[in-house]
């Protein structure tokens, strides 16, 4: 078994190749274990029209799983294609949301920087005011003593 995932392109190629021959039909009896495939080019040409794929028909242990899987292959391929399209849509939406979140974070960082700058300027102003207040208090004290230099 391969560990590779089937791509949508490969699934579409399989479906396109299948359409050239026609759809399969599952044998009517479960224990029959057969899948009939249209293939006018096999076993003598157009007069045959169908070939039978056997899954080791056994009345006591029918191969229903294999037969059903072979018959479901076209539906599975269509599912791969549909899910690949859905994943692509979700990835695009996720990328767009992620871009929006990144822009919002940049705006928040810029806003924080602005507030940080304002805070620092206010601290500098208050420190200058405190220094002025100390000088004024010292001047007033000197004036009160009569020593106004």
């Amino acid at each position: 078994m391969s560990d590779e995932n089937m791509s949508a392109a490969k699934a579409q190629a399989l479906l396109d190749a299948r359409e050239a021959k026609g759809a399969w039909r599952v044998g009517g009896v479960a224990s029959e274990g057969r899948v009939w495939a249209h293939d006018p080019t096999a076993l003598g040409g157009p007069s045959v029209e169908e070939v039978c794929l056997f899954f080791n028909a056994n009345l006591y242990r029918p191969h229903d799983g294999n037969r059903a899987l072979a018959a479901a292959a076209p539906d599975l391929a269509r599912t791969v294609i549909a899910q690949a399209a859905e994943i692509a849509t979700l990835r695009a939406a996720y990328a767009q949301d992620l871009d929006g979140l990144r822009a919002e974070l940049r705006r928040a960082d810029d806003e924080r920087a602005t507030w940080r700058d304002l805070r620092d300027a206010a601290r500098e102003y208050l420190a200058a005011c405190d220094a002025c207040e100390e000088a004024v208090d010292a001047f007033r004290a000197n004036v009160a003593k009569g020593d106004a230099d």
Side-chain angles (χ1 to χ4, degrees):
M1 174 176 267
S2 170
D3 58 354
E4 291 182 25
N5 291 326
M6 180 174 289
S7 69
K10 184 173 182 180
Q12 187 61 57
L14 290 171
L15 283 175
D16 293 344
R18 171 196 176 258
E19 292 304 321
K21 303 275 182 171
W24 293 350
R25 68 178 176 83
V26 177
V29 180
S31 62
E32 184 179 35
R34 299 176 186 172
V35 174
W36 295 90
H38 294 277
D39 190 351
T41 62
L43 304 173
S47 61
V48 175
E49 292 188 15
E50 283 188 330
V51 293
C52 181
L53 308 173
F54 288 95
F55 289 103
N56 193 19
N58 182 331
L59 292 175
Y60 302 103
R61 295 181 62 203
H63 288 251
D64 291 343
N66 289 335
R67 180 174 64 95
L69 181 61
D75 291 335
L76 294 173
R78 281 190 287 278
T79 301
V80 167
I81 293 165
Q83 288 181 344
E86 183 179 1
I87 288 169
T89 300
L90 291 173
R91 283 183 176 164
Y94 170 76
Q96 186 175 11
D97 287 349
L98 195 56
D99 289 343
L101 289 172
R102 285 185 179 132
E104 190 174 324
L105 283 173
R106 282 190 296 275
R107 283 190 302 272
D109 286 344
D110 292 345
E111 188 174 314
R112 269 193 301 277
T114 300
W115 282 109
R116 200 170 19 253
D117 292 344
L118 287 172
R119 179 202 62 204
D120 293 345
R123 283 181 178 165
E124 288 175 17
Y125 175 76
L126 290 174
C129 287
D130 288 345
C132 288
E133 190 174 324
E134 289 171 11
V136 168
D137 287 344
F139 178 75
R140 285 185 183 151
N142 288 336
V143 169
K145 289 194 282 180
D147 186 24
D149 286 339

